[in-house]
Amino acid sequence: MLSSYNTDALCGACTRAGLPPADDTPRVPVRVWADPEVREALAAWNFGQVSRLVRQRGSIRQEDVAQLTGLSQGFLSMLESGARRLTSIDRIVDFLDGLSVPADLVRVPRRRPVPRTAPAPRAAGPVTAVSPAASTPAGPTGVPSVSPIGLAAGPVTFGTGTGSVRRPDLAELPWTAEAAVVALADATAGLTAPLPGSAARLPDLTGYVRRWAAAEDCAPARPQRPGAEIPGDLLRQLQATTDLLRRMDSEHGGGSLAQAGSAHLAVAVGLLRGGRYDEPTGRSLAAIAADAAGQAAWYQIEAGRPAGAPHRLLFAALRAAHASGDPRAGAGILLHLAVAAFRAGRPSATVDVVRAALDRTRTFDAPALQAMLLAWEARGHAKMGRRHESLRALGAAAELCGRAPGAGEPAWLPPLGEGDVHAQAGGCHLDLGDHRQAVQLLDRATETLRPEQVRTRGEVLARAAAARLRLGDVAGATRSAEQAVEIASHVRSACLDETIRPLLESLPALTRSRA
């Protein structure tokens, strides 16, 4: 909707996009983006302060900013005074594009190509590394204070001596809200650009999860921050975007969402890092950031990226989930970690991780969540050949699925239907060597999966083909595999491709038809 003060047919941003810039078009000098105060205001998403500082540092007028961004001068005056805020993502992008804010200073999807900026100028002299145990001023929870300027300009770095710099060691960071922000910001930046120490060793999964389970509660409140206060509507929009990406993943494969998921996560992390909020808002924002981080890591895996960066993000996401104070948020991240461990050939770790999630969520009325966790426990046991333990976990999961959804089901949990249970049971029997029963269950899963579960259907068909092949039914295996290959040609999923690859090697007719 156009402003009531705009008598043209298009808004200012669209008008500028359709016309070549005139010689007298105001421009923001590039030097402005190296200014520490400007960077800090951008990191805090304090766009009123950004507007004021850009005018002062760039020697341009308020009407120039209005012309560049398409915002009215009256609105800009109220924005700079704090009487109004930019809360719509569309208007934020118009503001950033109009001023040509470099892409690495505020990580949101942009409508037009914008350059990255050079690092902020540093004071002359040797670089002194910061150690968590050094005499650096610490925050209220004991974490070294980190300037939003450093967070905006690049990854948060720690070190052990003068001249040495490395990325934060996840195993060493305390389980506090401030440390969660540090870890999450660093891992998010590592998804889009190579960072120093990118090959750093990750913590032991089982030990890390035990520390999560034993960590004391922490309160992510930042009432004294200089950034803008975060409204509830923005939190709802962020969660809605995460849910939309989740549905797109199910239908089209997560590999096509890697860039969008990382950009969306950067928005949530930027708010968590630089916004001003009370404890309830901070906990909600931490849960949203954890959910977005778990999904972003999964999209990276589905895109076929090396495991290091996605796994580092999942470890950081578990810290954000802990800061939310809701064990169900942690259970969501543990599900991602359990699946990643299973696919990496570590079924014992899968079982350990799932059991930790079950222990922490046992008091919630969430039968669907507990059923999903038990199903993955069953998959881990089956991969290790533990028939009794696998079938016992499967039976408990099936019993829970027969109940109505509980009042404590987490908002991120997709509906768990009959097809999901049959798919997991079929996978268990396939790993246990019960190939005939696996075929029956997997065929039943194919019939009962929801229409939007396209990628899951492809994996079920591929597993059914593998079971038929082990029974000697080459023709049936080829038919199931052909359907899986057809689905794989329309979705981007490295996990589905990995499941299909052995079939291509074992079924020459399938290879010829695909060629």
Side-chain angles (χ1 to χ4, degrees), residues 143-147 151 154-158 167-170 173 176-189 222 269 272-273 312 316 319:
V143 180
S145 298
V146 181
S147 167
L151 286 171
V156 181
T157 56
F158 295 88
R167 295 173 68 185
D169 191 327
L170 288 169
L173 288 175
T176 61
E178 288 82 358
V181 174
V182 169
L184 199 55
D186 175 76
T188 302
R222 293 187 171 191
V269 174
L272 189 64
R273 181 177 63 187
R312 187 177 185 85
R319 290 180 174 274

Side-chain angles (χ1 to χ4, degrees), residues 132-434:
S135 59
T136 306
T141 55
V143 180
S145 298
V146 181
S147 167
I149 301 171
L151 286 171
V156 181
T157 56
F158 295 88
T160 55
T162 301
S164 64
V165 177
R166 64 181 175 87
R167 295 173 68 185
D169 191 327
L170 288 169
E172 295 174 0
L173 288 175
W175 288 81
T176 61
E178 288 82 358
V181 174
V182 169
L184 199 55
D186 175 76
T188 302
L191 295 178
T192 55
L195 295 175
S198 58
R201 183 176 62 87
L202 292 172
D204 171 68
L205 174 58
T206 303
Y208 194 80
V209 171
R210 288 199 190 103
R211 289 194 289 275
W212 164 79
E216 295 183 0
D217 190 25
C218 58
R222 293 187 171 191
Q224 305 302 322
R225 292 288 296 180
E229 187 174 352
I230 298 175
D233 285 345
L234 183 55
L235 294 181
R236 287 187 285 273
Q237 291 173 12
L238 286 171
Q239 186 60 58
T241 301
T242 305
D243 295 337
L244 175 60
L245 291 172
R246 201 185 335 260
R247 290 195 296 272
M248 293 172 66
D249 164 47
S250 182
E251 294 183 24
H252 306 292
S256 59
L257 301 172
Q259 184 176 0
S262 299
H264 172 58
L265 171 61
V267 174
V269 174
L271 293 171
L272 189 64
R273 181 177 63 187
R276 186 173 75 251
Y277 39 81
D278 57 14
E279 182 174 334
T281 301
R283 290 191 183 278
S284 297
L285 183 57
I288 290 170
D291 188 15
Q295 289 301 117
W298 168 248
Y299 303 150
Q300 295 287 325
I301 294 171
E302 280 279 79
R305 306 288 170 80
H311 287 187
R312 187 177 185 85
L313 180 56
L314 288 174
F315 280 113
L318 191 58
R319 290 180 174 274
H322 170 68
S324 76
D326 187 349
R328 295 169 298 178
I333 304 304
L334 292 182
L335 268 174
H336 286 294
L337 286 166
V339 175
F342 184 87
R343 292 189 175 277
R346 300 179 59 197
S348 177
T350 297
V351 172
D352 290 341
V353 169
V354 166
R355 282 179 172 172
L358 283 167
D359 287 342
R360 288 296 305 275
T361 57
R362 208 174 295 278
T363 58
F364 290 93
D365 179 21
L369 172 62
Q370 291 154 8
M372 182 175 288
L373 291 167
L374 283 165
W376 276 105
E377 181 184 348
R379 293 294 302 276
H381 284 309
K383 185 65 77 172
M384 292 185 286
R386 299 175 178 174
R387 177 180 296 274
H388 177 71
E389 291 86 347
S390 178
L391 296 182
R392 182 178 59 187
L394 271 180
E399 181 182 350
L400 287 169
C401 281
R403 301 183 188 176
E409 304 288 3
W412 52 262
L413 185 69
L416 192 65
E418 181 183 356
D420 300 287
V421 178
H422 288 314
Q424 294 288 55
C428 287
H429 283 284
L430 178 62
D431 289 332
L432 291 170
D434 305 330

Side-chain angles (χ1 to χ4, degrees), residues 33 42 50 54 95-106 110 114-115:
W33 310 121
L42 286 167
V50 170
V54 164
F95 180 83
L96 298 174
D97 281 349
L99 296 179
S100 296
V101 176
D104 53 331
L105 296 187
V106 182
R110 307 289 282 275
V114 287

